């Protein structure tokens, strides 16, 4: 049986944090592999927000697809495979995928988190099309519209009041659950123009007569094949029309691999890391939402960039440490330090007319 492929860096997770980490380590000359199960959370995003220079017409899956093309162009390996286990094997790590095995000197966990859904029948099909989870990403989309917050916690109440920056029509729906916010927050809610409705929410309906609203350009709001949320049905038989809103029920960090490796976790379950993504276990890094749950593509990109540079500094051979110079024969130094196949990619890349990734379509004219 052949030996499993060996890498310097293995990244588990193909969202913006993981792919950016892999992009940096590859371009810095390290053999890198990225593992991503099909249908990750970021790939389900219909419209990417707040990424400078990237149109909101771009979906998470399109951004990831182009990112993978970049990785492969620069020489990384991309494995569309879920990772079942990561185990320390001497001074390396063994990555066990559903369809194969690899080893690496360093492992990066970019496994993200999972949103706790609202539990309202038929509502989650409108995710990204009226049902949202990230205020900083999507409140702009709902400006001056009738907006709801589903939840009964302290955080739900705070989100409802924050939405008043964007609209004067905010409804807090507790869905027949007892409020869990403090007396101080209750006083704040009383003082702010937020309507509170305690009835159970039993369903959701699409905009219009059960269909989508077709725009003048021929597209459908919320995506080429998606219906936009029209509103919610309550147990008392009433229907409330909303442009959209937020489900605020918390999240669960996908931290199993980190926990199995012995990494420290924060009280809320996030993987504890330093400022560049180093976890408590030697050789393990973690990036993106699994470390903080901020749910922000630009933040994830920055996490990946910082970790990628830190990994390079961790792995690079040069300069040789000053206290080790006496034991080094300059004629024995293996230079260049970057892998030969990656240097070949560097040379070939200089002659390309076009590179993978988003670019101005006029460049093809």
């Amino acid at each position: 049986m052949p030996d499993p492929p060996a890498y310097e860096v293995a990244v588990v997770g193909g969202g913006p944090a993981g792919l950016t980490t892999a992009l940096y380590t590859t371009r810095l000359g390290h053999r890198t592999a990225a593992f991503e199960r099909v249908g990750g959370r970021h790939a389900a995003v219909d419209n990417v927000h707040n990424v400078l220079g990237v149109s909101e017409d771009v979906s998470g899956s399109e951004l990831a697809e182009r990112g993978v093309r970049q990785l492969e162009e620069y020489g990384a390996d991309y494995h569309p495979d879920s990772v079942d286990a990561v185990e320390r094997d001497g001074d390396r790590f063994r990555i066990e995928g559903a369809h194969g095995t690899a080893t690496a000197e360093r492992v990066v966990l970019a496994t993200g988190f999972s949103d706790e859904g609202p539990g309202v029948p038929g509502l989650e099909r409108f995710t990204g099309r009226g049902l949202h989870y990230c205020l900083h990403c999507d409140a702009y989309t709902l400006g001056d519209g009738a907006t709801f917050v589903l939840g009964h916690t302290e955080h739900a109440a705070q989100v409802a009041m924050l939405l008043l920056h964007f609209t004067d029509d905010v409804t807090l729906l507790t869905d027949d659950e007892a409020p869990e916010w403090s007396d101080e927050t209750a006083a704040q809610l009383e003082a702010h123009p937020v309507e509170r409705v305690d009835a159970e929410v039993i369903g959701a309906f699409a905009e219009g007569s059960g269909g989508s609203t077709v725009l003048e350009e021929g597209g459908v709001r919320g995506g080429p094949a998606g219906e936009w949320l029209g509103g919610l049905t309550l147990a008392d038989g009433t229907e409330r029309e909303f442009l959209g809103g937020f489900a605020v029920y918390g999240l669960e960090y996908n931290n199993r691999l980190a926990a199995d490796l012995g990494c420290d976790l924060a009280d809320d379950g996030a993987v504890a890391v330093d400022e560049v993504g180093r976890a408590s276990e030697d050789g393990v890094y973690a990036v993106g939402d699994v470390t903080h749950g901020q749910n922000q593509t630009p933040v994830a990109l920055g996490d990946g960039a910082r970790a990628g540079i830190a990994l390079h500094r961790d792995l690079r051979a040069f300069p040789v440490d000053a206290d080790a110079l006496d034991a080094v024969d300059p004629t024995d130094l293996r230079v260049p330090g970057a892998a030969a196949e990656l240097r070949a990619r560097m040379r070939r890349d200089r002659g390309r007319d076009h590179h993978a990734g988003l670019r101005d379509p006029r460049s093809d004219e």
Side-chain angles (χ1 to χ4, degrees), residues 125-126 203-208 228-233 239-242:
R125 71 188 175 103
F126 295 108
F205 55 89
E207 186 178 48
W228 191 270
L229 177 69
L232 303 171
T233 303
E239 291 186 341
R240 299 286 298 265
E241 292 187 357
F242 293 105

Side-chain angles (χ1 to χ4, degrees), residues 35 52 86 138 151 159 169 206 218 231 256 270 284 286 365:
F35 296 80
L52 187 66
V86 179
D138 297 301
V159 169
D169 191 346
R256 179 182 60 81
V284 181
E365 294 177 356

Side-chain angles (χ1 to χ4, degrees), residues 2 4 11 34 37 53 64 74-75 83 91 93 100 105 115 119 130 137 172 183 211 280 299-300 323 331 348 364-365:
V11 179
R37 64 179 175 82
Y74 295 137
V83 171
D91 59 354
F93 295 91
E105 296 178 42
D115 293 298
C137 303
L172 176 59
D183 291 342
S280 60
V299 173
D323 58 4
T331 62
R348 189 160 62 246
D364 293 328
E365 294 177 356

Side-chain angles (χ1 to χ4, degrees), residues 148-172:
F148 67 84
V149 173
L150 259 171
H152 55 279
T153 63
E154 182 82 28
H155 186 44
Q158 294 296 329
V159 169
M161 291 184 284
L162 284 168
L163 277 171
L164 293 171
H165 286 288
F166 303 91
T167 178
D168 62 359
D169 191 346
V170 179
T171 302
L172 176 59

Side-chain angles (χ1 to χ4, degrees), residues 31-70:
R31 293 187 184 92
T32 301
F35 296 80
E36 165 68 348
R37 64 179 175 82
V38 177
R41 183 173 176 275
H42 191 262
V45 174
D46 286 332
N47 306 97
V48 173
H49 302 296
N50 297 336
V51 182
L52 187 66
V54 176
S55 168
E56 294 197 7
D57 296 336
V58 176
S59 68
S61 60
E62 183 180 3
L63 192 65
E65 177 187 353
R66 292 173 183 262
V68 170
R69 290 182 193 171
Q70 282 184 308

Side-chain angles (χ1 to χ4, degrees), residues 7-365:
Y7 300 98
E8 291 177 88
V9 179
V11 179
V12 182
L19 292 182
T20 301
T21 306
L23 180 68
Y24 267 74
T25 56
T26 302
R27 283 180 54 87
L28 288 169
H30 302 285
R31 293 187 184 92
T32 301
F35 296 80
E36 165 68 348
R37 64 179 175 82
V38 177
R41 183 173 176 275
H42 191 262
V45 174
D46 286 332
N47 306 97
V48 173
H49 302 296
N50 297 336
V51 182
L52 187 66
V54 176
S55 168
E56 294 197 7
D57 296 336
V58 176
S59 68
S61 60
E62 183 180 3
L63 192 65
E65 177 187 353
R66 292 173 183 262
V68 170
R69 290 182 193 171
Q70 282 184 308
L71 289 181
E72 294 179 330
E73 179 179 292
Y74 295 137
D77 288 342
Y78 175 75
H79 301 277
D81 196 3
S82 60
V83 171
D84 298 326
V86 179
E87 301 173 348
R88 192 179 291 277
D89 185 7
D91 59 354
R92 299 181 67 83
F93 295 91
R94 186 176 182 87
I95 297 92
E96 298 284 354
H99 303 288
T101 301
T103 70
E105 296 178 42
R106 303 289 185 273
V107 64
V108 183
L109 303 177
T111 48
F113 66 77
S114 300
D115 293 298
E116 293 290 339
V120 175
L123 179 55
E124 289 195 73
R125 71 188 175 103
F126 295 108
T127 299
R129 297 181 295 274
L131 173 64
H132 307 285
Y133 293 91
C134 174
L135 181 78
H136 300 96
C137 303
D138 297 301
Y140 181 94
T141 306
L142 305 178
D144 281 335
T147 307
F148 67 84
V149 173
L150 259 171
H152 55 279
T153 63
E154 182 82 28
H155 186 44
Q158 294 296 329
V159 169
M161 291 184 284
L162 284 168
L163 277 171
L164 293 171
H165 286 288
F166 303 91
T167 178
D168 62 359
D169 191 346
V170 179
T171 302
L172 176 59
L173 300 160
T174 64
D175 195 19
D176 199 29
E177 296 284 348
E180 296 178 0
W181 49 74
S182 66
D183 291 342
E184 181 182 64
T185 298
Q188 285 182 289
L189 278 173
E190 186 69 26
H192 287 74
V194 173
E195 181 184 2
R196 176 177 155 186
V197 174
D198 293 327
E200 181 183 3
V201 183
I202 61 172
F205 55 89
E207 186 178 48
S209 300
S212 304
T213 295
V214 180
L215 305 179
E216 292 181 1
E217 294 84 358
V220 179
R221 186 164 71 181
E227 293 179 316
W228 191 270
L229 177 69
L232 303 171
T233 303
L234 306 182
D236 60 11
T238 61
E239 291 186 341
R240 299 286 298 265
E241 292 187 357
F242 293 105
L243 178 61
F246 297 86
V248 185
Y249 290 94
L251 56 88
E252 182 177 354
Y253 290 101
N254 301 323
N255 59 17
R256 179 182 60 81
L257 296 177
D260 288 348
L261 285 165
C263 296
D264 290 344
L265 304 178
D267 291 341
D268 62 355
V271 180
V273 295
D274 68 8
E275 66 278 2
V276 295
R278 279 187 293 255
S280 60
E281 287 294 306
D282 188 42
V284 181
Y285 289 70
V287 294
D289 279 336
V290 75
T291 69
H292 50 59
Q294 293 210 17
N295 201 22
Q296 296 284 305
T297 299
V299 173
L301 297 173
D303 287 352
R306 283 191 295 271
I309 293 170
L311 281 155
H312 173 57
R313 290 173 175 168
D314 189 9
L315 290 165
R316 69 186 179 187
F318 310 113
V320 175
D321 288 340
D323 58 4
L325 291 176
D326 291 342
V328 173
D329 182 346
T331 62
D332 291 336
L333 292 178
R334 299 179 63 180
V335 296
E341 64 269 25
L342 293 181
R343 300 198 314 273
R345 296 267 186 170
M346 297 173 193
R347 297 193 302 273
R348 189 160 62 246
D349 190 65
R350 291 197 287 268
R352 290 184 185 276
D353 292 327
H354 298 295
H355 294 81
L358 293 169
R359 62 175 181 266
D360 188 337
R362 293 172 295 182
S363 65
D364 293 328
E365 294 177 356

